[in-house]
Amino acid sequence: MAVIPKILVFAGSVRSGAYSGRTADVAQKELAVQGAEVTRISLADYPLPILDEDLEKENGVPENAQKLARLISAHDGLLIATPEYNGSIPPLLKNTIDWVSRVRGDGGRSVRPLAGKVAGLCSSSNGRFAGIRCINHLRAVLVRCQMEVVTPECSVPEGGDAFDGDGHFRDERLHKSMEHLCRTLIETSRMLSTRVEA
């Protein structure tokens, strides 16, 4: 019997009505339709200070980074939906990744929550470029963290008009793109799982 992959979904923005949040909603539904066990979180529930090595030396890695590390470790894959700020990664998302990458242990055992973990990426913007500059930067950062980032991605242009009243994509091509991304993420997560049961 095939293992049901556990996928953690979150957006890189916590703004009310953010296109990245709405894209994450679409991904959450599609992953569930395709048989994944999905956990959806908001980064607003895991506030972190700006990464500061002096702060880390004095107080250690913040507890919310540790909590996120445990969550990531307990899942087979991640789906991240990011907005684009000034052509690149939003500070909330980059700071979160940077702090989680600093986690090296949990309860006396060695932990590297990002290394080997599978990730799928979505982006969105209010313009026609759909966040493609940001998604390339995010991919590079995650690969540097030794994550396995799947090739398919879903980039949503004209975010203000991309969703219907039920929160679905209006454009069938976007729906197909999300289907393909989620299918690949599920299959790859099942194959490369490094899940650590909490």
Side-chain angles (χ1 to χ4, degrees):
M1 184 176 173
V3 174
I4 297 173
K6 294 178 69 174
I7 308 294
L8 183 67
V9 176
F10 59 90
S13 172
V14 297
R15 176 179 63 84
S16 176
Y19 307 137
S20 58
R22 299 179 77 183
T23 301
D25 290 341
V26 175
Q28 177 182 359
K29 291 172 190 169
E30 183 59 37
L31 286 163
V33 164
Q34 293 195 28
E37 182 181 334
V38 184
T39 305
R40 176 67 189 282
I41 63 169
S42 170
L43 295 183
D45 296 326
Y46 301 90
L48 291 164
I50 297 296
L51 182 65
D52 179 336
E53 290 190 19
D54 289 337
L55 180 67
E56 180 183 6
K57 188 174 182 180
E58 187 176 332
N59 300 319
V61 174
E63 179 59 26
N64 279 334
Q66 296 279 2
K67 287 179 181 177
L68 283 168
R70 288 183 205 116
L71 257 180
I72 291 167
S73 295
H75 287 77
D76 301 300
L78 310 179
L79 188 139
I80 303 172
T82 182
E84 180 176 285
Y85 287 16
N86 292 320
S88 193
I89 306 168
L92 170 66
L93 180 56
K94 182 63 165 62
N95 191 57
T96 300
I97 293 166
D98 289 344
W99 268 123
V100 172
S101 75
R102 308 291 287 187
V103 175
R104 289 290 182 268
D106 185 20
R109 65 184 171 90
S110 178
V111 174
R112 295 192 66 204
L114 301 180
K117 195 65 63 175
V118 179
L121 305 182
C122 301
S123 64
S124 57
S125 77
N126 198 36
R128 289 176 295 172
F129 290 113
I132 57 174
R133 293 166 297 192
C134 171
I135 209 170
N136 289 330
H137 294 178
L138 179 57
R139 181 179 295 274
V141 168
L142 297 182
V143 168
R144 184 69 183 82
C145 293
Q146 299 181 26
M147 296 186 77
E148 299 287 342
V149 185
V150 298
T151 301
E153 54 194 45
C154 182
S155 294
V156 181
E158 309 289 354
D161 297 317
F163 306 91
D164 66 20
D166 295 321
H168 302 116
F169 289 140
R170 296 183 191 274
D171 188 336
E172 181 62 19
R173 288 173 299 177
L174 276 179
H175 176 66
K176 294 292 184 188
S177 176
M178 183 65 83
E179 274 188 334
H180 182 44
L181 166 59
C182 290
R183 187 180 310 112
T184 305
L185 177 59
I186 287 170
E187 290 170 355
T188 309
S189 296
R190 183 182 286 127
M191 189 169 48
L192 300 179
S193 177
T194 60
R195 187 199 310 177
V196 177
E197 296 296 346

PDB file of all heavy atoms in Angstrom, residues 80-93:
ATOM      1  N   ILE A  80       5.266  26.038  -1.014  1.00  0.00           N
ATOM      2  CA  ILE A  80       5.399  27.440  -0.617  1.00  0.00           C
ATOM      3  C   ILE A  80       4.840  28.311  -1.735  1.00  0.00           C
ATOM      4  O   ILE A  80       5.238  28.179  -2.901  1.00  0.00           O
ATOM      5  CB  ILE A  80       6.875  27.813  -0.378  1.00  0.00           C
ATOM      6  CG1 ILE A  80       7.496  26.897   0.685  1.00  0.00           C
ATOM      7  CG2 ILE A  80       6.992  29.274   0.045  1.00  0.00           C
ATOM      8  CD1 ILE A  80       9.003  27.067   0.843  1.00  0.00           C
ATOM      9  N   ALA A  81       3.911  29.196  -1.377  1.00  0.00           N
ATOM     10  CA  ALA A  81       3.355  30.159  -2.334  1.00  0.00           C
ATOM     11  C   ALA A  81       3.889  31.538  -1.954  1.00  0.00           C
ATOM     12  O   ALA A  81       3.622  32.024  -0.858  1.00  0.00           O
ATOM     13  CB  ALA A  81       1.831  30.140  -2.282  1.00  0.00           C
ATOM     14  N   THR A  82       4.648  32.139  -2.842  1.00  0.00           N
ATOM     15  CA  THR A  82       5.320  33.393  -2.481  1.00  0.00           C
ATOM     16  C   THR A  82       4.845  34.576  -3.319  1.00  0.00           C
ATOM     17  O   THR A  82       4.591  34.437  -4.517  1.00  0.00           O
ATOM     18  CB  THR A  82       6.850  33.260  -2.636  1.00  0.00           C
ATOM     19  OG1 THR A  82       7.482  34.478  -2.226  1.00  0.00           O
ATOM     20  CG2 THR A  82       7.257  32.956  -4.070  1.00  0.00           C
ATOM     21  N   PRO A  83       4.722  35.739  -2.700  1.00  0.00           N
ATOM     22  CA  PRO A  83       4.575  36.972  -3.470  1.00  0.00           C
ATOM     23  C   PRO A  83       5.956  37.434  -3.929  1.00  0.00           C
ATOM     24  O   PRO A  83       6.962  36.795  -3.600  1.00  0.00           O
ATOM     25  CB  PRO A  83       3.980  37.948  -2.453  1.00  0.00           C
ATOM     26  CG  PRO A  83       4.544  37.494  -1.145  1.00  0.00           C
ATOM     27  CD  PRO A  83       4.696  35.989  -1.251  1.00  0.00           C
ATOM     28  N   GLU A  84       5.986  38.520  -4.677  1.00  0.00           N
ATOM     29  CA  GLU A  84       7.262  39.090  -5.142  1.00  0.00           C
ATOM     30  C   GLU A  84       7.380  40.514  -4.629  1.00  0.00           C
ATOM     31  O   GLU A  84       6.480  41.325  -4.829  1.00  0.00           O
ATOM     32  CB  GLU A  84       7.307  39.069  -6.674  1.00  0.00           C
ATOM     33  CG  GLU A  84       8.587  39.645  -7.245  1.00  0.00           C
ATOM     34  CD  GLU A  84       8.633  39.513  -8.754  1.00  0.00           C
ATOM     35  OE1 GLU A  84       8.857  38.388  -9.248  1.00  0.00           O
ATOM     36  OE2 GLU A  84       8.412  40.528  -9.445  1.00  0.00           O
ATOM     37  N   TYR A  85       8.481  40.803  -3.927  1.00  0.00           N
ATOM     38  CA  TYR A  85       8.748  42.155  -3.439  1.00  0.00           C
ATOM     39  C   TYR A  85       9.993  42.679  -4.145  1.00  0.00           C
ATOM     40  O   TYR A  85      11.071  42.101  -4.011  1.00  0.00           O
ATOM     41  CB  TYR A  85       9.003  42.152  -1.925  1.00  0.00           C
ATOM     42  CG  TYR A  85       7.790  41.920  -1.053  1.00  0.00           C
ATOM     43  CD1 TYR A  85       6.593  41.408  -1.566  1.00  0.00           C
ATOM     44  CD2 TYR A  85       7.839  42.203   0.293  1.00  0.00           C
ATOM     45  CE1 TYR A  85       5.496  41.194  -0.755  1.00  0.00           C
ATOM     46  CE2 TYR A  85       6.734  41.987   1.124  1.00  0.00           C
ATOM     47  CZ  TYR A  85       5.573  41.478   0.589  1.00  0.00           C
ATOM     48  OH  TYR A  85       4.496  41.266   1.399  1.00  0.00           O
ATOM     49  N   ASN A  86       9.841  43.765  -4.887  1.00  0.00           N
ATOM     50  CA  ASN A  86      10.975  44.372  -5.591  1.00  0.00           C
ATOM     51  C   ASN A  86      11.758  43.340  -6.400  1.00  0.00           C
ATOM     52  O   ASN A  86      12.990  43.337  -6.416  1.00  0.00           O
ATOM     53  CB  ASN A  86      11.900  45.093  -4.603  1.00  0.00           C
ATOM     54  CG  ASN A  86      11.234  46.310  -3.992  1.00  0.00           C
ATOM     55  OD1 ASN A  86      10.532  47.042  -4.687  1.00  0.00           O
ATOM     56  ND2 ASN A  86      11.431  46.521  -2.703  1.00  0.00           N
ATOM     57  N   GLY A  87      11.020  42.442  -7.051  1.00  0.00           N
ATOM     58  CA  GLY A  87      11.642  41.455  -7.928  1.00  0.00           C
ATOM     59  C   GLY A  87      12.296  40.294  -7.211  1.00  0.00           C
ATOM     60  O   GLY A  87      13.027  39.524  -7.826  1.00  0.00           O
ATOM     61  N   SER A  88      12.038  40.143  -5.897  1.00  0.00           N
ATOM     62  CA  SER A  88      12.720  39.081  -5.168  1.00  0.00           C
ATOM     63  C   SER A  88      11.848  38.553  -4.026  1.00  0.00           C
ATOM     64  O   SER A  88      10.648  38.791  -3.980  1.00  0.00           O
ATOM     65  CB  SER A  88      14.070  39.581  -4.646  1.00  0.00           C
ATOM     66  OG  SER A  88      14.864  38.502  -4.197  1.00  0.00           O
ATOM     67  N   ILE A  89      12.492  37.820  -3.104  1.00  0.00           N
ATOM     68  CA  ILE A  89      11.805  37.112  -2.027  1.00  0.00           C
ATOM     69  C   ILE A  89      11.345  38.093  -0.958  1.00  0.00           C
ATOM     70  O   ILE A  89      12.128  38.952  -0.523  1.00  0.00           O
ATOM     71  CB  ILE A  89      12.748  36.071  -1.390  1.00  0.00           C
ATOM     72  CG1 ILE A  89      13.323  35.138  -2.459  1.00  0.00           C
ATOM     73  CG2 ILE A  89      12.024  35.253  -0.325  1.00  0.00           C
ATOM     74  CD1 ILE A  89      14.467  34.268  -1.966  1.00  0.00           C
ATOM     75  N   PRO A  90      10.101  37.989  -0.471  1.00  0.00           N
ATOM     76  CA  PRO A  90       9.656  38.879   0.603  1.00  0.00           C
ATOM     77  C   PRO A  90      10.444  38.628   1.884  1.00  0.00           C
ATOM     78  O   PRO A  90      10.840  37.491   2.170  1.00  0.00           O
ATOM     79  CB  PRO A  90       8.177  38.520   0.775  1.00  0.00           C
ATOM     80  CG  PRO A  90       8.031  37.153   0.210  1.00  0.00           C
ATOM     81  CD  PRO A  90       9.056  37.043  -0.882  1.00  0.00           C
ATOM     82  N   PRO A  91      10.675  39.668   2.677  1.00  0.00           N
ATOM     83  CA  PRO A  91      11.523  39.524   3.865  1.00  0.00           C
ATOM     84  C   PRO A  91      10.980  38.525   4.877  1.00  0.00           C
ATOM     85  O   PRO A  91      11.762  37.820   5.529  1.00  0.00           O
ATOM     86  CB  PRO A  91      11.586  40.939   4.447  1.00  0.00           C
ATOM     87  CG  PRO A  91      10.481  41.697   3.804  1.00  0.00           C
ATOM     88  CD  PRO A  91      10.242  41.074   2.471  1.00  0.00           C
ATOM     89  N   LEU A  92       9.661  38.443   5.038  1.00  0.00           N
ATOM     90  CA  LEU A  92       9.080  37.489   5.984  1.00  0.00           C
ATOM     91  C   LEU A  92       9.500  36.063   5.636  1.00  0.00           C
ATOM     92  O   LEU A  92       9.938  35.295   6.501  1.00  0.00           O
ATOM     93  CB  LEU A  92       7.550  37.596   5.972  1.00  0.00           C
ATOM     94  CG  LEU A  92       6.796  36.499   6.732  1.00  0.00           C
ATOM     95  CD1 LEU A  92       7.069  36.597   8.234  1.00  0.00           C
ATOM     96  CD2 LEU A  92       5.296  36.577   6.454  1.00  0.00           C
ATOM     97  N   LEU A  93       9.385  35.717   4.374  1.00  0.00           N
ATOM     98  CA  LEU A  93       9.708  34.357   3.935  1.00  0.00           C
ATOM     99  C   LEU A  93      11.203  34.083   4.032  1.00  0.00           C
ATOM    100  O   LEU A  93      11.631  33.037   4.534  1.00  0.00           O
ATOM    101  CB  LEU A  93       9.211  34.149   2.501  1.00  0.00           C
ATOM    102  CG  LEU A  93       9.470  32.777   1.881  1.00  0.00           C
ATOM    103  CD1 LEU A  93       8.890  31.653   2.725  1.00  0.00           C
ATOM    104  CD2 LEU A  93       8.899  32.733   0.467  1.00  0.00           C
TER     105      LEU A  93
END
